[in-house]
Amino acid sequence: MMTKQDDGAVARRERARPKKGQGPDLDRLERSALAAFSRRGFAAVGLRELAASIGIAPTLILYRYGSKLGLWKALVDELGLRVDQACAAMDSAFAAAQPFPDRASAALRPFVRLTIEIPELAPLFIGEMSEPGERQDYLLDKVWSPFLASLLPIIHDAERFGNSDLGVPKFAAFSILSMIFAAQYMAPVIDLAADAPQHDPLARVLRPIERLLTLDLAQDRDCDLSSGRSPLNPAP
């Protein structure tokens, strides 16, 4: 037999559930939440604040995601899908018949383009890397692991074609990821200092990485050309 107390608990749960057609605008909610988490960090963002920003009750967020962490993970899951797509495009571009270093540049473009299309990705990742724990592990799995798998062949490619200064491949890969994210994270500050936005944000990110991947080749270019040997196609 249901007690009065039990009856009240059921009534509260029913009130927390959105009626059909009256649920929150999830796209709007997730855009607002992603912006807040990336700008201010997980701990500083509250569900009441997020709910108020789009005019819904906090209970609706809890009903849909279970918790603030559940909402955060849902956002990262979506980012992970976009990262997987970008990495698949990296793999396809790398497999195309292009000489080094053009192959490396073409392969990196899809991921760099993703960070431009989703500017929240860089600050979200950078912020969580300073806080070891569940969220850091989750981001490493969703963002770092697929990127690493797609980038390692590019690093090995650079090594085969003469760049011996990249060091441990995984460290080189994380350095390149850091270069990509730092460029996006600092873009507003750089544009402000330059009094104008960069006309080609893709090239702004790629050029330093291209120089890193082709370091030895760039140093030896004059010598190679004078000897008649192309640095892009060294003699076996």
Side-chain angles (χ1 to χ4, degrees), residues 86-116:
C87 289
M90 285 178 66
D91 298 342
S92 296
F94 183 76
Q98 299 179 59
F100 182 85
D102 293 344
R103 177 168 55 237
S105 181
L108 284 166
R109 282 176 178 269
F111 191 85
V112 174
R113 191 174 291 113
L114 174 67
T115 66
I116 295 171

Side-chain angles (χ1 to χ4, degrees), residues 121-183:
L121 178 58
L124 183 72
F125 188 90
I126 291 172
E128 293 294 351
M129 287 307 101
S130 65
E131 306 239 355
E134 181 180 4
R135 297 194 311 278
Q136 184 187 94
D137 293 342
Y138 206 78
L139 264 177
L140 288 172
D141 179 61
K142 297 293 184 178
V143 177
W144 163 242
S145 293
F147 179 76
L148 174 65
S150 294
L151 188 60
L152 282 178
I154 300 173
I155 291 173
H156 295 318
D157 205 25
E159 292 173 332
R160 283 194 300 272
F161 280 84
N163 190 344
S164 60
D165 288 342
L166 288 171
V168 178
K170 285 187 177 181
F171 182 81
F174 205 92
S175 296
I176 291 172
L177 181 66
S178 299
M179 291 171 70
I180 294 172
F181 280 156

Side-chain angles (χ1 to χ4, degrees), residues 27-225:
D27 288 340
R28 189 176 165 211
L29 169 62
E30 291 180 358
R31 286 195 303 270
S32 179
L34 181 59
F37 286 136
S38 66
R39 281 198 313 265
R40 295 160 46 212
F42 181 83
V45 178
L47 287 185
R48 289 183 181 277
E49 163 200 347
L50 288 176
S53 71
I54 64 167
I56 63 172
T59 50
L60 295 180
I61 300 178
L62 292 173
Y63 176 72
R64 175 62 179 83
Y65 301 98
S67 64
K68 184 170 72 168
L69 180 61
L71 170 59
W72 184 93
K73 284 185 173 181
L75 299 175
V76 174
D77 286 343
E78 184 61 32
L79 292 175
L81 291 176
R82 297 288 301 276
V83 168
D84 287 343
Q85 292 168 358
C87 289
M90 285 178 66
D91 298 342
S92 296
F94 183 76
Q98 299 179 59
F100 182 85
D102 293 344
R103 177 168 55 237
S105 181
L108 284 166
R109 282 176 178 269
F111 191 85
V112 174
R113 191 174 291 113
L114 174 67
T115 66
I116 295 171
E117 293 171 355
I118 309 178
E120 297 87 359
L121 178 58
L124 183 72
F125 188 90
I126 291 172
E128 293 294 351
M129 287 307 101
S130 65
E131 306 239 355
E134 181 180 4
R135 297 194 311 278
Q136 184 187 94
D137 293 342
Y138 206 78
L139 264 177
L140 288 172
D141 179 61
K142 297 293 184 178
V143 177
W144 163 242
S145 293
F147 179 76
L148 174 65
S150 294
L151 188 60
L152 282 178
I154 300 173
I155 291 173
H156 295 318
D157 205 25
E159 292 173 332
R160 283 194 300 272
F161 280 84
N163 190 344
S164 60
D165 288 342
L166 288 171
V168 178
K170 285 187 177 181
F171 182 81
F174 205 92
S175 296
I176 291 172
L177 181 66
S178 299
M179 291 171 70
I180 294 172
F181 280 156
Q184 302 304 340
Y185 187 68
M186 295 298 294
V189 177
I190 295 170
D191 292 342
L192 183 63
D195 293 325
Q198 293 287 320
H199 69 281
D200 190 348
L202 192 65
R204 171 174 61 187
V205 179
L206 281 174
R207 282 171 186 155
I209 299 172
E210 290 168 347
R211 286 195 290 269
L212 174 67
L213 290 171
T214 61
L215 182 61
D216 283 359
L217 299 181
Q219 291 172 347
D220 296 337
R221 187 179 301 277
D222 291 340
C223 178
D224 290 337
L225 292 178

